[in-house]
Amino acid sequence: MAQSSTEAASAYEQLLTKYKRIANVENAGGILSWDQQVMMPDEGTPARSQQMSALSALGHELLTDDEFGELLEAAEADDPTDEQADVLRELRRDYERAVRVPNDLVEKISAASSEAIPAWKQAKAEDDFEEFAPHLEKHVELKRKYAEHIDPDRDPYEVLFEEYEPCLPLEQAEEILAEVREVLVSMIEDIRESDTELAVDAFEGEFAADEQEALARDALSTLGYPWDRGRLDTAPHPFSSGTQFDARVTTRYDESDPLGSLFSTIHEFGHALYTLGLPDEHYATPLGEDRDLSVHESQSRLWENHVGRSRAFWKHFLPTFTEHFSAVDASVEEAYEAANQVYEDNLIRVEADELTYHLHIVIRFELERALVSGDLAVEDVPEAWNDKYEEYLGIRPETDAEGCLQDIHWAYGNFGYFPTYSLGSIMAAQLFDAAAADIDGLDEKLSDGEFGELRTWLRENVHQHGRRYETNDLVKRATGDDFAADAFLDYVESKYGELYDL
Ligand code: CO
């Protein structure tokens, strides 16, 4: 027998090969999920649910396999390079979380969600919290157990938060959100008392969906979306998903609200651009995967708020808008004001503006912390919810459908997810400031429709690193400072101070 011409693969290489299989199984599940939300005929659900749970079980089996654990240990002991050490840190974290939770608990949570989702839908439709309460109770109980398996010695909410933010300390997140809450509550009060009237009717009327789609395509092309690695489709709840080779965007069209759909398209573009900026050569390994939810959301919010809602963008884009909708007769200033109005009496998170949005998040964050710790009983959620809306936003929901039943997240038992939305927006402000400091005349470039340098800055400072750096490290390398609320607070104070003459 001839000797093998290649050396035996190292533990690290074998481990990476195993991980690639897991990542590919997950990515295949992502495509099935995209299809379910965008293309699949209504009756496809029973088969699709089985296909997706089979892939998810397979991924879990591959990750929790004894051999994966052994290879991980061997690779860690094998004098890894810096890059390998970063990858091993990520794989160790994924592995530990996966092996500590028993399969039957994962199945129970998944079964509880399958029952809770239709119950939540019905409870919301009938404005009947009691219908949903036992399901929420069950999720709280199961998720406490889940956290206990991962780490019995820590605050269970902290452990659950790490599911979405694996390397951002909860304490830091909590401080940032408390600081933002304090400033926003009083700003929103001042705005309510201000006499300044913004040009809120710049985009009133009927806007045909097919023309809005043409506009969305123009917006994506303008911002630099590579159509050979993406698509635009419609979905009831817009999202983006995929890999660096194929990152797709979805949106929805409301004929009375063209800005809503445009900003949702730009938001999802930001998510897709992050995914597309992950290095091709590291596909299906931690260096070719996104960091976490707050970093992802920082990318979508940066494009949506700091670009899409800026004067500079409207200087460039208003003529494109009126090419599609010639009845709109707004100046750049009017378009800017309409895009940045604050809705003082909005109860619904997904319809909120850039400012009140964060109080919607803070309320959910505070309530779910109290729920998980046991300080708040499930039956008291509606009252506690309404009290907080009154305290922070000065409005009180009249129904639970418009109150604590509005979002689906708790029906999935997702506790710890909401704060990532705000953290992402706050991070976006810090990153945009740093980009503006590095790029000469960024504002002018944006008004000239030149978005390339901003895309490149984001790719170099954020996207291309994948999961190489932990969140704080990534932010510090990109901006020179620790992740904090300062840039965001400066941004909202200067922007809304000017808009509302505060
Ligand atoms: Co998003």
Side-chain angles (χ1 to χ4, degrees), residues 267-268 271 297 300 421:
H267 178 100
E268 299 308 334
H271 280 304
E297 193 71 4
S300 57
Y421 289 132

Side-chain angles (χ1 to χ4, degrees), residues 14-24 26 63 68 91 94 284-286 289 467:
Q14 292 179 57
L15 181 68
L16 218 55
T17 303
K18 279 197 175 287
Y19 183 74
K20 283 181 184 168
R21 293 188 67 197
I22 299 167
N24 277 311
E26 272 174 17
L63 179 60
F68 192 92
L91 296 184
D94 291 355
T285 79
E289 293 176 333
R467 291 161 72 185

Side-chain angles (χ1 to χ4, degrees), residues 18 60-70 95 99:
K18 279 197 175 287
H60 187 77
E61 277 164 32
L62 291 170
L63 179 60
T64 54
D65 186 44
D66 287 344
E67 216 189 315
F68 192 92
E70 286 156 19
Y95 174 74
V99 290

Side-chain angles (χ1 to χ4, degrees), residues 237-288:
H237 303 282
F239 67 100
S240 136
S241 69
T243 69
Q244 47 270 65
F245 295 101
D246 169 6
R248 306 175 186 189
V249 168
T250 65
T251 191
R252 64 175 164 205
Y253 305 107
D254 173 345
E255 300 211 326
S256 67
D257 180 19
L259 290 192
S261 131
L262 179 64
F263 289 136
S264 129
T265 306
I266 296 176
H267 178 100
E268 299 308 334
F269 160 80
H271 280 304
L273 193 72
Y274 179 18
T275 306
L276 291 165
L278 298 165
D280 288 359
E281 68 273 24
H282 292 303
Y283 169 70
T285 79
L287 297 179

